[in-house]
């Protein structure tokens, strides 16, 4: 299996109590000579709130099956994230396309200071105290 990061520990879903969280649903349109064909794509994050998280993308003609496919895909992409005292061990910077995300460890009692998809992922991991900035 292709693994992007050597330090990321892949996890098997067996025996884990995974909770799924919906990040977003998009309606996509394919224009054909017979008219418009509508479909849906769903992005889901699953996690056990104890350091294991996975993300998945599902596509279908209806929303419910797109979400179900996304959950199955997310369970195939589980990784373990180190958590120290309810926060991350060090600052992380992520980049994909035009988006940039900075995630900074925080003191106990700070809470999850993040918006949108970043908050969903951090809550699924089980991080309680963190600062983040999403740009782009």
């Amino acid at each position: 299996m292709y693994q992007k990061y050597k330090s990321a520990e892949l996890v098997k879903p067996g025996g884990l109590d995974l909770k799924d969280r919906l990040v977003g649903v998009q309606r996509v349109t394919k224009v054909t000579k017979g008219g418009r064909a509508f479909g849906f794509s769903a992005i889901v994050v699953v996690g056990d709130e104890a350091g294991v998280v996975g993300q998945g993308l599902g596509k279908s003609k209806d929303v419910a099956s797109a979400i179900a496919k996304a959950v199955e895909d997310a369970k195939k992409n589980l990784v373990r994230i180190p958590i120290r005292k309810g926060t991350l061990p060090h600052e992380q910077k992520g980049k994909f396309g035009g988006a940039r995300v900075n995630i900074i460890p925080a003191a106990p009692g700070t809470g999850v200071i993040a918006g949108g998809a970043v908050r969903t992922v951090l809550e699924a991991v089980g991080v309680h105290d963190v600062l983040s900035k999403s740009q782009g």
Side-chain angles (χ1 to χ4, degrees), residues 83-89 103-113 122 126-132:
I83 298 176
R84 304 278 185 264
K85 299 177 185 173
T87 188
L88 300 175
I103 303 174
I104 305 157
T110 304
V112 178
I113 310 295
L122 292 172
V127 176
H128 299 296
D129 302 303
V130 74
L131 302 168
S132 78

Side-chain angles (χ1 to χ4, degrees), residues 6 8 42 48 51 55-57 60 62-63 67 87 89 96 105 109-110 112 123:
K6 292 183 177 75
D48 68 348
Q55 60 85 26
L57 172 68
S60 181
D62 62 294
V63 177
I67 292 171
T87 188
F96 186 82
T110 304
V112 178
E123 287 175 349

Side-chain angles (χ1 to χ4, degrees), residues 9-76:
E9 177 191 347
L10 295 175
V11 180
K12 301 280 187 221
L16 293 174
D17 182 30
L18 297 172
K19 297 177 182 72
D20 54 278
R21 298 164 191 261
L22 185 65
V23 176
V25 177
Q26 293 84 30
R27 187 180 81 170
V28 293
T29 308
K30 179 181 178 182
V31 180
T32 61
K33 67 178 183 178
R36 295 182 182 96
F38 294 106
F40 295 91
S41 67
I43 300 172
V44 171
V45 173
V46 298
D48 68 348
E49 297 178 354
V52 175
V53 70
Q55 60 85 26
L57 172 68
K59 300 183 198 178
S60 181
K61 294 290 179 190
D62 62 294
V63 177
S65 58
I67 292 171
K69 287 180 182 182
V71 169
E72 291 303 312
D73 188 38
K75 288 179 181 177
K76 295 176 187 173

